[in-house]
């Protein structure tokens, strides 16, 4: 993909030269090698950490989505590092566009899984939905965002130099996917805030069960919740930035401003990933890790053994019986 200025065509450009200036590329600059190498290394290290903690504590679903997101981010920033050497490298450009746009959607899946486990460990009765419905609501919605962005990225990547209409169509589909992702994130934040306020009032009333109070006041649990909240905020800011960036079309001034990209895309994703890696549920929220491990063990057995429902159900009474046991893991 490339830009065209006036009647000048850059269709044959493969590297920077007098007739193929860097300013004519979509990004319009040489991506900073040091910054992109740092971000690639950071996502690579987080990927290793997530694999280790995920296997160790068996938080399969949570860690798998995060790891997949890290793999895409790693590939995207390696591609941007290659663009430093040759901004006209079409393969590297297409890789970084698709990978970096899609990765946060996978990371969001891990965040969406946490609400179910928080409600099960505190008081499922205060939730406006049954806890098991939260992943069934938010994860498919998130996957829909992923599909839209993937379609848009494919359209943009396949657009020829003389197919501006197809390129514009890809841009619009990507915007639709990111806008939908922002709306889903906003809804999730509202649901979390509502549940938090209801639990806080319940705790203040003095009617809270001892097991729920133990979880509510557990410093490890609070650290985990703060990490998830910080990750959520960073990804939401990134989505808002991406809408503004893509709205102006390919090669617009916002897209060609590297500092804003580094801060509002790069660091607004690497910081959330670092938080979710450094504060894993396997160590800080053992009840969640126990349920995750039990769920996958049950799938592996294929029903050959009867499993107690104490760690996988979403009934308030069932969960409260198992909370002390889960927290002691």
């Amino acid at each position: 993909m490339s830009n065209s200025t006036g009647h000048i065509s850059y269709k044959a450009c493969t590297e920077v030269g007098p007739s193929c200036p860097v300013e004519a590329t979509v990004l319009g600059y040489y991506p900073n090698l040091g910054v992109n190498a740092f971000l690639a290394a950071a996502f690579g290290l987080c990927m290793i950490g997530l694999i280790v903690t995920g296997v160790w504590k068996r938080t399969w679903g949570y860690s798998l989505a995060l790891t997949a997101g890290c793999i895409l981010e790693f590939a995207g920033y390696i591609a941007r590092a290659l663009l430093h050497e040759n901004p006209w490298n079409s393969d590297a450009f297409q890789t970084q566009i698709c990978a970096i746009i899609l990765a946060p959607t996978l990371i969001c899946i891990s965040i969406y899984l946490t609400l179910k486990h928080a409600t099960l460990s505190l008081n499922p009765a205060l939730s406006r939905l049954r806890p098991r419905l939260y992943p069934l609501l938010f994860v498919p919605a998130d996957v829909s965002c992923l599909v839209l962005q993937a379609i848009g990225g494919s359209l943009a990547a396949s657009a020829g130099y003389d197919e501006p209409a197809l390129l514009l169509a890809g841009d619009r589909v990507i915007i639709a996917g990111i806008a939908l992702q922002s709306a889903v994130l906003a809804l999730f934040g509202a649901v979390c805030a509502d549940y938090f306020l209801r639990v806080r009032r319940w705790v203040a009333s003095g009617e809270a069960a001892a097991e729920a109070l133990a979880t509510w006041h557990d410093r490890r649990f609070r650290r985990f919740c703060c990490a998830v909240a910080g990750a959520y905020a960073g990804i939401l800011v990134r989505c808002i930035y991406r809408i503004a960036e893509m709205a102006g079309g390919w090669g617009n001034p916002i897209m060609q401003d590297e500092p804003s990209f580094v801060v509002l895309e790069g660091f607004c994703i690497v910081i959330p990933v670092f938080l979710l890696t450094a504060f894993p549920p396997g160590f800080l929220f053992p009840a969640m890790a126990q349920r995750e491990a039990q769920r996958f063990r049950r799938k592996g057995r294929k029903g050959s053994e009867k499993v107690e429902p104490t760690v996988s159900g979403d009934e308030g009474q069932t969960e409260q019986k198992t909370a002390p046991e889960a927290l002691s893991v």
Side-chain angles (χ1 to χ4, degrees), residues 3 25 37 94 145 149 216 228 242 251 266 272 281 312:
N3 289 336
T25 62
Q94 292 171 13
C145 305
Q149 292 174 66
W216 179 258
V228 172
R242 273 297 197 175
S312 59

Side-chain angles (χ1 to χ4, degrees), residues 21-68:
V22 66
E23 291 79 12
T25 62
V26 173
L27 296 181
Y29 59 82
Y30 289 90
N32 185 286
L33 179 61
V35 169
N36 289 290
F38 168 79
L39 289 170
F43 283 115
L45 290 173
C46 287
M47 180 172 57
I48 294 171
L50 288 165
I51 292 172
V52 171
T53 57
V55 172
W56 185 0
K57 294 297 183 179
R58 298 189 177 93
T59 51
W60 306 116
Y62 178 87
S63 299
L64 180 62
L66 271 176
T67 302

Side-chain angles (χ1 to χ4, degrees), residues 19-229:
S19 59
C20 299
V22 66
E23 291 79 12
T25 62
V26 173
L27 296 181
Y29 59 82
Y30 289 90
N32 185 286
L33 179 61
V35 169
N36 289 290
F38 168 79
L39 289 170
F43 283 115
L45 290 173
C46 287
M47 180 172 57
I48 294 171
L50 288 165
I51 292 172
V52 171
T53 57
V55 172
W56 185 0
K57 294 297 183 179
R58 298 189 177 93
T59 51
W60 306 116
Y62 178 87
S63 299
L64 180 62
L66 271 176
T67 302
C70 280
I71 291 173
L72 285 180
E73 292 284 0
F74 177 78
Y77 285 100
I78 288 294
R80 284 184 67 86
L82 294 176
L83 286 174
H84 171 79
E85 298 298 327
N86 180 15
W88 286 101
N89 185 331
S90 179
D91 291 337
F93 177 78
Q94 292 171 13
T95 298
Q96 66 95 25
I97 279 290
C98 294
I100 295 176
I101 283 179
L102 295 177
T105 311
L106 293 171
I107 296 168
C108 285
I109 292 176
S110 296
I111 294 177
Y112 295 145
L113 293 176
T114 60
L115 181 57
K116 166 190 171 181
H117 295 285
T119 55
L120 287 172
S121 294
L122 292 169
N123 187 345
L126 294 177
S127 175
R128 296 188 186 275
L129 294 175
R130 296 186 69 182
R132 69 181 181 85
L133 294 180
Y134 288 122
L136 297 178
L137 171 64
F138 287 105
V139 172
D142 196 60
V143 171
S144 299
C145 305
L146 181 68
V147 171
L148 277 175
Q149 292 174 66
I151 293 173
S154 298
L155 289 174
S158 62
Y161 295 96
D162 299 317
E163 296 182 278
L166 184 59
L167 190 60
L168 181 62
D171 179 72
R172 294 294 180 256
V173 175
I174 291 174
I175 292 174
I178 298 175
L180 178 60
Q181 184 181 6
S182 301
V184 173
L185 276 168
L187 176 61
F188 180 78
V191 171
C192 288
D194 174 71
Y195 183 73
F196 169 78
L197 293 174
R198 290 163 71 90
V199 172
R200 189 171 66 174
R201 287 194 296 267
W202 177 60
V203 170
S205 70
E207 300 175 356
E211 309 91 83
L213 283 175
T215 301
W216 179 258
H217 294 297
D218 190 326
R219 290 184 178 179
R220 295 179 303 166
F221 175 72
R222 293 197 166 202
R223 290 192 194 104
F224 175 72
C225 290
C226 287
V228 172

